């Protein structure tokens, strides 16, 4: 049993970010779910350190947009009292870093906020007249990991080497 002044920190570093941690079949997602349940049984204070970018290639494509909200909901449902979402810490240039940071901040305050109105608001406010074109590119990115349903996205594995990005998508982009 843990003392009251101890807060375990669980890190998602080995998980697959193409699929929600709560339901992903990748072995590390399954293992993380088991870990979080085991620690939750010992304490009511859990700290989650989650990853939201490709640390091998910050400006590269890392299409994890559709798991961000679901993962935050999962962490909260598991009793996490602290959450650190680590993205592109090197500054400008990360793939949709401003969008990811903004969405994460919104969902950390209220994980029930619907995604589409947030996306519409962000794209209009951030990109102005270019919003429809950037949104089309963004929506194409979101579809990439789901095209075959088998893809795995790891935060320290270059997405380009994982063959997530198709030639057809790059040509259209």
């Amino acid at each position: 049993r843990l003392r009251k002044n101890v807060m375990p920190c669980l890190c998602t570093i080995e998980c697959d970010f193409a699929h929600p941690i709560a339901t992903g079949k990748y072995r590390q997602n399954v293992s993380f779910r088991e870990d979080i349940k085991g620690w939750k049984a010992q304490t009511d204070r859990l700290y989650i350190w989650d990853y939201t970018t490709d640390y091998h290639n910050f400006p590269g494509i890392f299409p994890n947009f559709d798991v961000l909200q679901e993962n935050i909901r999962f962490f909260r449902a598991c009793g996490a009292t602290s959450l650190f979402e680590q993205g592109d810490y090197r500054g400008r240039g990360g793939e949709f870093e401003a969008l990811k940071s903004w969405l994460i901040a919104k969902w950390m305050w209220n994980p029930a906020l619907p995604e589409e109105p947030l996306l519409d608001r962000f794209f209009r406010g951030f990109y102005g007249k270019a919003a429809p074109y950037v949104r089309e590119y963004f929506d194409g990115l979101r579809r990439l990991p789901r095209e075959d349903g088998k893809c795995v996205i790891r935060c320290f594995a270059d997405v380009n080497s994982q063959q997530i990005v198709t030639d057809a998508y790059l040509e259209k982009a």
Side-chain angles (χ1 to χ4, degrees), residues 50 52 64-77 80 83 85 96-123 135 138 142:
D50 191 28
T52 64
N64 66 330
F65 309 104
D66 290 336
V67 305
L68 297 172
Q69 184 178 27
E70 290 185 55
N71 285 349
I72 290 170
R73 287 178 178 165
F74 172 69
F75 300 143
R76 181 177 268 197
L83 176 59
E85 295 282 0
F96 283 108
E97 70 181 85
L99 171 61
K100 286 181 184 180
S101 295
W102 190 78
L103 287 173
I104 288 167
K106 294 290 187 187
W107 288 327
M108 285 176 73
W109 281 107
N110 181 356
L113 289 174
E115 181 181 53
E116 279 307 311
L118 291 175
L119 289 173
D120 290 342
R121 182 176 168 199
F122 181 87
F123 279 95
R135 179 65 194 261
F138 172 79
R142 292 173 74 182

Side-chain angles (χ1 to χ4, degrees), residues 31-58:
S31 177
F32 187 84
R33 288 194 299 269
E34 292 168 3
D35 288 347
I36 202 169
K37 287 177 189 172
W39 282 108
K40 179 60 182 155
Q42 296 183 53
T43 183
D44 59 356
R45 296 177 45 164
L46 290 175
Y47 178 170
I48 306 296
W49 188 318
D50 191 28
Y51 301 88
T52 64
T53 192
D54 180 355
Y55 292 95
H56 180 73
N57 182 9
F58 285 117

Side-chain angles (χ1 to χ4, degrees), residues 123-140:
F123 279 95
R124 274 193 325 271
F126 198 82
Y127 295 106
K129 291 180 183 178
Y133 308 105
V134 180
R135 179 65 194 261
E136 182 180 358
Y137 170 80
F138 172 79
D139 288 339

